[in-house]
Amino acid sequence: MQMLVKAKGLRKSYRNRTVVDGIDLAFRRGETVAIIGPNGAGKSTTLDMILGLKKADGGTVRFWRDDPLGRIGVQLQQTPFFPGLSALENLKLFASFYRVKLTDARARELLELCGLLEAAGTEASRLSGGQQKRLAIAAGLVHDPELVFLDEPTAALDPKARREVHALIARLANAGTTVVLTSHDMEEVHRLAARVVMIIRGRIAADGAPDELCAKHGVAGLEELYIQLTEAKEGVRG
Amino acid sequence: MNATILRSMMMTSLRDRISLFYATLFPLGLFAGLGLSIDTPGYAPRLMVGVMALGTLFWSMAGQSFQVLQQRNKGVYKLLRVAPLKPLPFIWWMILARTILGVAMSGLLVLAGVLLFDIRVAVSGLANGLPLLVAGSLCFTALGFFVANLAKNEARVNMISNLLYVPMVLGSEAFYSLDRVPSWLAAAGRAFPFHYLVDGLQRTMISGGPLPVTALLMLALFTAAGLALAAATFRWDEHQPVLGAKG
């Protein structure tokens, strides 16, 4: 599989505290990768450095093409909508950030993919939390990207909204889009990701297919693996 | 693409009811209310220009700072960093949209002046006042950006804005002559762009004089300073320190 991103030796410190400590990470075309780990483990900082949102103290990031930004979609934890604009209008505006002219038909197609067609004319800020999250994902897809980063796409969503986002991610993966997501929900990770990367204290603690990792560590599921590795690396706090 | 950004920025600004109130209904109400209650010959044109300058100040500076704060806190600038469109063109279209709307709102005040108080503004007065209004809008919009960069939340925006509004408005001749105020207040007023906007608009739209180059240059100078300050303090996201590393 073609390598889309190759990060080598990424390092980042804040005020003498090392957050990312020499991470090597690669994403290949067509795979769905989940990055997991405790809060403050360095997941978001790693992704931010890969995306250029944070400057790395050390290491390199290489992409499959010279101008990757136009081919990468990003969903942030925040929901960056413009107040006063409808879901459809927001999508058209986001498309202009990628220098894409989004036709009404294509925008509606995208909204339908994200289960938001009925909300096309609703002001984005009036949408429910789940709808806003899906709109944020739709905003990351306006330019038909080859690689999508989803930062906690189901955080704070109710089970129904969560299921809808899962279906959307599965559709993206089935369509051949490379998906990199972060999550704290191990069931979700097991369901969606073909590969799991676990980061603890700024280092990669595990990397592989969920079932292979569970078998290797002799655990029944990802949650158990998560707890085992977290306790081993961080020590149990009492 | 740029047309989409401009149109969207105009729509999002026009649908912001609070800043729209301060930019349209409040100035129109102030103009009509004061104009009808103060029956001093020749005061209505001065009032019109004063309210126009005040509306421009509120719409451009307060409106822009709240908009920037909101966009930053919602992660819009962060998202722009991972898109091919760079933030500067986006910011430029946002400023242009606000300037166009600000000038249109000033046009409403002129219309109200003509209809309510029979104010006669010569075409040359309008033509010479227009560059000043554009320069004033750009200047206050740039300052609005700077204010938003210094603030972490709406309360801070209000606090910093008020620190600028008070000396600007009190130290200007927007609503009264500075002949009888303490000299230090008049001098303080001249240290801010609002004075030059009011002075320039009075010279062109009331007195029918030519375009006052000094006022225009001063506004341009303040715009450049405002832009430089805005650029130096620009923050991509809300978690970035107010005055610190660019991350």
Side-chain angles (χ1 to χ4, degrees), chain A residues 71 92 160 163 182 210:
Chain A
R71 305 303 304 143
K92 287 188 169 186
K160 185 172 174 287
R163 183 175 288 185
T182 64

Side-chain angles (χ1 to χ4, degrees), chain B residues 172-208:
Chain B
S172 78
E173 295 203 311
F175 301 104
Y176 49 77
S177 167
L178 290 179
D179 289 346
R180 291 184 185 175
V181 303
S183 56
W184 62 264
L185 183 58
R190 280 194 292 276
F192 292 98
F194 191 68
H195 163 81
Y196 299 96
L197 177 63
V198 172
D199 182 56
L201 289 176
Q202 285 177 345
R203 284 172 193 267
T204 52
M205 296 181 85
I206 300 176
S207 308

Side-chain angles (χ1 to χ4, degrees), chain A residues 28-108:
Chain A
R28 292 171 189 84
R29 185 179 294 281
E31 65 178 353
T32 301
V33 186
I35 299 182
I36 61 172
N39 289 326
K43 310 184 293 290
S44 293
T45 306
T46 301
L47 288 188
D48 282 354
M49 285 191 289
I50 288 173
L51 289 167
L53 289 168
K54 285 196 173 104
K55 198 177 170 198
D57 293 338
T60 56
V61 180
R62 285 192 181 167
F63 292 94
W64 77 108
R65 51 189 292 163
D66 293 336
D67 54 341
L69 287 185
R71 305 303 304 143
I72 295 175
V74 180
Q75 172 252 315
L76 302 166
Q77 281 184 32
Q78 295 146 307
T79 45
F81 302 126
F82 291 85
L85 299 188
S86 69
L88 187 90
E89 289 166 342
N90 264 289
L91 282 192
K92 287 188 169 186
L93 180 55
F94 282 116
S96 70
F97 292 177
Y98 293 93
R99 302 195 181 108
V100 170
K101 183 154 178 58
L102 197 67
T103 61
D104 266 1
R106 173 66 186 138
R108 287 181 189 282

Side-chain angles (χ1 to χ4, degrees), chain A residues 135-237:
Chain A
L135 185 58
I137 297 174
L141 303 176
V142 286
H143 53 304
D144 200 14
E146 293 171 65
L147 170 63
V148 180
F149 287 92
L150 307 173
D151 200 357
E152 298 192 18
T154 58
L157 293 187
D158 63 53
K160 185 172 174 287
R162 190 178 290 245
R163 183 175 288 185
E164 287 165 354
V165 172
H166 287 172
L168 174 60
I169 294 170
R171 274 201 293 272
L172 284 175
N174 288 338
T177 308
T178 307
V179 180
V180 178
L181 63 103
T182 64
S183 178
H184 286 292
D185 182 339
M186 295 305 114
E187 195 187 318
E188 167 179 292
V189 168
H190 209 146
R191 184 183 300 177
L192 296 172
R195 179 181 153 212
V196 174
V197 176
M198 186 166 181
I199 297 178
I200 300 175
R201 301 185 97 173
R203 291 181 179 181
I204 291 179
D207 185 349
D211 292 336
E212 285 173 17
L213 286 178
C214 291
K216 184 179 166 188
H217 291 268
V219 291
L222 277 180
E223 194 164 311
E224 210 178 313
L225 174 73
Y226 180 98
I227 291 166
Q228 188 190 89
L229 288 178
T230 309
E231 285 180 355
K233 297 274 179 186
E234 290 196 319
V236 182
R237 290 172 191 166

Side-chain angles (χ1 to χ4, degrees), chain B residues 78-203:
Chain B
K78 209 172 161 184
L79 199 72
L80 272 171
R81 283 186 88 178
V82 290
L85 180 77
K86 295 297 156 216
L88 270 180
F90 171 73
I91 287 167
W92 163 246
W93 289 111
M94 188 160 65
I95 289 175
L96 188 65
R98 191 160 281 274
T99 302
I100 290 170
L101 293 173
V103 171
M105 285 161 189
S106 295
L108 284 180
L109 275 170
V110 174
L111 190 66
V114 172
L115 296 175
L116 290 176
F117 303 108
D118 199 25
I119 296 171
R120 302 290 164 92
V121 184
V123 175
S124 62
L126 288 175
N128 289 329
L130 188 64
L132 291 163
L133 276 174
V134 171
S137 288
L138 289 172
C139 176
F140 296 130
T141 304
L143 287 175
F145 251 101
F146 175 52
V147 169
N149 292 347
L150 296 182
K152 281 207 165 218
N153 51 44
E154 282 83 356
R156 291 269 176 92
V157 166
N158 269 329
M159 195 184 79
I160 300 166
S161 300
N162 287 339
L163 282 176
L164 293 170
Y165 291 155
V166 173
M168 273 205 261
V169 178
L170 291 183
S172 78
E173 295 203 311
F175 301 104
Y176 49 77
S177 167
L178 290 179
D179 289 346
R180 291 184 185 175
V181 303
S183 56
W184 62 264
L185 183 58
R190 280 194 292 276
F192 292 98
F194 191 68
H195 163 81
Y196 299 96
L197 177 63
V198 172
D199 182 56
L201 289 176
Q202 285 177 345
R203 284 172 193 267

